[in-house]
Amino acid sequence: MGRSSGGGFFRVLIALVLAGGALFTYFSSTQVNPVTGEKQNITITPEQEIALGLQALPQLQRQYGGTSRDARGQQLVDRVGERLVRGTAASRSPYRFKFHLLDDPRTVNAFALPGGQIFITSALLGRLKSEGELAGVLAHEIGHVVGRHGAEQLAKQQLTQGLTGAAVIATYDPYDPSSRNSAAVAAALGQLVNMRFGREDELESDRLAITYMAEAGYDPRSLLAVMRTLKAAGGGARPPEFFSTHPDPDRRLERIAEAIKQQYPNGVPAGLKP
């Protein structure tokens, strides 16, 4: 009994030190986003974001079939992406944007790496019906980069790992096998916290995409068509919104429509490219 009690005290002490270190590192690492003006908890520099993105680039390309051999498709992606960067606040960011069309005919997806590497699969490009819809996809991914969502996620993961590790040390008693359940609950809660942050990032990127599309001359309502395409591609077999890393499609359509109405209370300006 004495050994178990003493061991428990030291486990709690170590857990408190680990938790305190994780919290201090996270909350003391703040930076102001030079484009959005938002104060963010981030532990790496823009230069490190660029380096991380370039480091992950080859593996991600291999995972999705490599670079597409569709030269015309790649030219279209480049032209629309460069127009979005050139005509918006993204041009004032420190990132080096590069757009990649991936040769994956099955996975309907688009994503961005920290630092400006942006990807769209041939499966998604083939489902889009207009240049404006492509602009909606790419503008959303540009929003992730400019919003520094990847860097925020890294900092949040470090915090969650630190707190989860502390909880495991504090709750796990080698003399009591049932304590493993408490550790498992702590780990599950950490995962749910990160999922929540991911959904908020998606919604912020939608709002940024609306702004960037209009500034570059594209009708932001095309983003609604993109969301309907992605919803159809999902086949309706999605988990509840709370357990998803992306917002529910219907909920997301509502939020995009609300954001467009707020930004253009008198209606979307005429002459924007659909």
Side-chain angles (χ1 to χ4, degrees), residues 45-124:
T45 66
E47 291 74 21
Q48 289 172 321
E49 288 180 76
I50 294 171
L52 284 172
L54 291 173
Q55 184 177 2
L57 176 62
Q59 178 180 348
L60 196 147
Q61 287 177 318
R62 289 193 298 270
Q63 182 178 344
Y64 289 90
T67 301
S68 173
R69 292 167 289 183
D70 179 3
R72 292 183 62 185
Q74 181 63 64
Q75 289 171 3
L76 175 62
V77 171
D78 285 336
R79 177 165 56 82
V80 174
E82 289 166 5
R83 177 173 174 175
L84 286 165
V85 173
R86 186 173 59 251
T88 68
S91 64
R92 301 194 298 271
S93 76
Y95 303 114
R96 307 169 186 172
F97 289 93
K98 186 172 178 58
F99 302 89
H100 306 267
L101 176 59
L102 300 175
D103 192 20
D104 188 333
R106 294 180 298 276
T107 307
V108 179
N109 203 2
F111 36 86
L113 290 173
Q117 304 296 318
I118 292 177
F119 307 84
I120 180 172
T121 63
S122 59
L124 175 54

Side-chain angles (χ1 to χ4, degrees), residues 40-268:
Q40 299 172 285
N41 295 103
I42 292 177
T43 56
I44 61 176
T45 66
E47 291 74 21
Q48 289 172 321
E49 288 180 76
I50 294 171
L52 284 172
L54 291 173
Q55 184 177 2
L57 176 62
Q59 178 180 348
L60 196 147
Q61 287 177 318
R62 289 193 298 270
Q63 182 178 344
Y64 289 90
T67 301
S68 173
R69 292 167 289 183
D70 179 3
R72 292 183 62 185
Q74 181 63 64
Q75 289 171 3
L76 175 62
V77 171
D78 285 336
R79 177 165 56 82
V80 174
E82 289 166 5
R83 177 173 174 175
L84 286 165
V85 173
R86 186 173 59 251
T88 68
S91 64
R92 301 194 298 271
S93 76
Y95 303 114
R96 307 169 186 172
F97 289 93
K98 186 172 178 58
F99 302 89
H100 306 267
L101 176 59
L102 300 175
D103 192 20
D104 188 333
R106 294 180 298 276
T107 307
V108 179
N109 203 2
F111 36 86
L113 290 173
Q117 304 296 318
I118 292 177
F119 307 84
I120 180 172
T121 63
S122 59
L124 175 54
L125 181 63
R127 291 173 182 252
L128 301 178
K129 301 178 179 64
S130 71
E131 187 172 313
E133 291 186 21
L134 174 58
V137 172
L138 299 181
H140 175 87
E141 300 306 329
I142 291 172
H144 278 308
V145 175
V146 171
R148 305 192 71 185
H149 295 156
E152 281 189 311
Q153 284 297 323
L154 286 173
K156 291 167 185 173
Q157 286 174 7
Q158 290 171 353
L159 172 63
T160 301
Q161 289 169 0
L163 295 179
T164 301
V168 170
I169 290 174
T171 59
Y172 178 57
D173 183 353
Y175 298 97
D176 180 11
S178 67
S179 66
R180 297 175 185 175
N181 294 332
S182 299
V185 170
L189 287 175
Q191 292 176 354
L192 289 177
V193 167
N194 279 338
M195 286 182 181
R196 175 63 183 170
F197 286 138
R199 292 198 304 275
E200 292 175 353
D201 289 344
E202 294 294 334
L203 294 172
E204 182 181 29
S205 287
D206 286 339
R207 293 191 293 269
L208 289 172
I210 290 167
T211 300
Y212 293 168
M213 290 175 71
E215 289 178 348
Y218 293 105
D219 191 328
R221 290 171 296 192
S222 296
L223 189 57
L224 293 168
V226 172
M227 293 302 112
R228 295 187 188 101
T229 295
L230 294 176
K231 178 182 177 181
R238 290 178 57 87
E241 179 179 357
F242 183 74
F243 296 102
S244 174
T245 57
H246 290 71
D248 176 79
D250 291 325
R251 173 68 170 159
R252 196 166 173 184
L253 281 164
E254 292 175 4
R255 295 288 291 268
I256 293 172
E258 290 171 2
I260 292 174
K261 186 175 181 179
Q262 289 175 0
Q263 186 164 336
Y264 302 103
N266 298 320
V268 175

